[in-house]
Amino acid sequence: MKLNRRLFMGGAAAGAAVATLSAPMAHASTDGKPRVVVIGGGAGGATAARYIAKDSNGEIDVTLVEPTRSYYTCFFSNLYMAGFRELGSIAHSYGKLASEFGVNVVHDWAVGIDREARTVTLAGGATLPYDRLILSPGIDFVDGAVEGWDVTQQNKMPHAYKAGSQSELLKAQIEAMPEGGTFAMVAPPNPFRCPPGPYERISMVAHILKEKNPTAKIIIADPKEKFSKMALFQEGWGRHYDGMIDWIGPDFGGGNVSVNPDTMTLTIDGEETKVDVCNVIPAMKAGRICEIAGITDGNWAPVNPHTMQSRVDENIHVLGDASHQGDMPKSGFAANSQAKVAAMAVRSALTGSKLFPAKFTNTCWSLIDADDGVKVGASYEATDEKIAKVDGFISQTGEDATLRKATYEESIGWYAGITSDMFG
């Protein structure tokens, strides 16, 4: 990683980080307001835009750049594929951010960032100046991560790790499987978006097949020796879908995988298998705009945990999946939590409001079968090195049905709450 004079020393003490936030403004708007541009309208970006606009009481001009007019949450998209949700129930618009909070929502792609000039270039040709820039672009995929697959093959072998049309496609492919057919998943290596996500998806696919195609089989090729909530998922698979799911870890070739979308074959450690549906979830990296901005180190963008500021550029904050921040998983809840810390830091820098110590929380719920919900979560604090885990919890194997149902219902309430927190 090439560092330049705009390097932000993330190892500085928290007090020094607060002092850094008082940088002078260079791009006040015509009415004298400082300008914040947010790129990415998901759990991190939408939350940050809303909180900066709301809590600054109109003192900051906020622009949110997001290409899609309807945002489909990745969290709960697996439930859509299983028939527990309608697609419309995970779709959200940006109308309230604009009408109720005064956020200027621009539906376009950000294609360039000039860090010296502090401007963002959009695909449509517009240039947006900023005093602070927030990047929350989510994930992109690592080229060549799965032999035989790239994004041009996503219609034959969907990833469905960016929700919306890919979710619809994968659901349709599952429902069209022949009797006794085979569903295969190529699971990603760490770190990746939503660590329990692939295994909740397997559960939801098994739920569909148990109802509509009970002789079908599921294969998971996994490069990891263990995965999030492993004991809980495997217990649930044994209870609800006995004999249907075959998990192949690295000891049996799960890390030596290739695919052929034209012949619909999956090869694991040299053994080729014909499959009917193949869900390829490749290795991941920060959304490409972070690389364009020159703030990545490897696949991710390092940040100062106290403020979510880039360690390369103090005028940029990076949220959610794209950030390299420490112990927090890459999840919607984590991005939402980080967005509030960043929003507070931005307001402090641009308006002089009080900056409180950064604290973070996260919970990830997963559904194994109808009313069989499990969860894992933790609280975190900012240190000079990383966002550090303070304490945590996880559902236990052997829990009774009443508790599991309550856990699932808790997740439904959380979904309503977080999407309201994001979009108003």
Side-chain angles (χ1 to χ4, degrees), residues 47-366:
T47 302
R50 178 174 177 262
Y51 271 77
I52 293 170
K54 174 176 69 72
D55 293 343
S56 69
N57 295 314
E59 292 183 40
I60 298 175
D61 184 90
V62 182
T63 298
L64 175 64
V65 180
E66 165 57 46
T68 63
R69 294 182 180 274
S70 291
Y71 181 82
Y72 292 87
T73 58
C74 284
F75 45 96
F76 273 47
S77 63
N78 288 332
L79 275 63
Y80 154 70
M81 283 188 271
F84 290 105
R85 306 278 295 204
E86 296 295 327
L87 187 65
S89 74
I90 64 168
H92 304 273
S93 77
Y94 297 92
K96 285 188 177 181
L97 290 183
S99 63
E100 296 186 12
F101 301 99
V103 175
N104 179 30
V105 181
V106 177
H107 293 297
D108 202 346
W109 288 95
V111 295
I113 293 173
D114 186 331
R115 287 174 26 216
E116 293 293 331
R118 289 194 233 172
T119 58
V120 174
T121 302
L122 303 182
T127 299
L128 304 176
Y130 66 83
D131 298 294
R132 286 296 167 101
L133 175 64
I134 296 178
L135 299 182
S136 190
I139 52 102
D140 275 324
F141 300 121
V142 176
D143 293 337
V146 177
E147 183 181 347
W149 189 95
D150 60 38
V151 292
T152 66
Q153 302 294 333
Q154 65 183 358
N155 287 341
K156 293 180 179 178
M157 292 184 169
H159 55 79
Y161 237 64
K162 297 179 181 181
S165 60
Q166 277 276 297
S167 306
E168 290 184 283
L169 175 60
L170 185 58
K171 178 180 173 69
Q173 289 183 353
I174 295 165
E175 292 179 343
M177 281 175 56
E179 184 177 351
T182 299
F183 174 96
M185 172 186 283
V186 179
N190 292 321
F192 62 96
R193 164 183 282 173
C194 189
Y199 311 100
E200 180 188 59
R201 177 170 296 172
I202 289 295
S203 304
M204 296 296 92
V205 172
H207 174 83
I208 299 170
L209 296 179
K210 183 179 178 180
E211 289 185 345
K212 299 184 177 181
N213 193 348
T215 60
K217 297 295 182 183
I218 296 173
I219 300 171
I220 314 164
D222 202 330
K224 303 179 294 297
E225 292 183 355
K226 58 182 180 179
F227 54 84
S228 178
K229 305 177 189 168
M230 185 171 183
L232 293 166
F233 279 115
Q234 291 187 332
E235 176 195 53
W237 296 343
R239 182 168 64 251
H240 299 295
Y241 316 116
D242 187 33
M244 180 179 281
I245 300 169
D246 186 11
W247 178 77
I248 303 172
D251 289 347
F252 296 92
N256 182 19
V257 172
S258 64
V259 298
N260 188 326
D262 293 327
T263 60
M264 287 303 294
T265 53
L266 167 69
T267 300
I268 302 175
D269 210 22
E271 182 177 344
E272 184 178 274
T273 301
K274 178 75 173 177
V275 300
D276 299 289
V277 178
C278 192
N279 176 204
V280 177
I281 309 175
M284 300 176 198
K285 63 181 181 178
R288 178 161 167 71
I289 194 64
C290 292
E291 183 180 350
I292 290 171
I295 61 168
T296 55
D297 183 4
N299 288 335
W300 310 102
V303 296
N304 181 317
H306 297 286
T307 60
M308 301 304 296
Q309 281 173 289
S310 165
R311 291 191 184 271
V312 178
D313 189 328
E314 67 216 38
N315 296 307
I316 298 177
H317 302 249
V318 188
L319 308 178
D321 299 340
S323 68
H324 176 61
Q325 39 69 17
D327 294 344
M328 294 191 83
K330 298 181 184 300
S331 74
F333 199 142
N336 173 263
S337 183
Q338 294 164 15
K340 294 171 185 177
V341 168
M344 178 176 59
V346 167
R347 288 190 294 106
S348 177
L350 300 182
T351 69
S353 62
K354 186 173 179 60
L355 184 65
F356 295 92
K359 293 192 179 296
F360 308 87
T361 58
N362 178 70
T363 303
C364 291
W365 288 267
S366 302

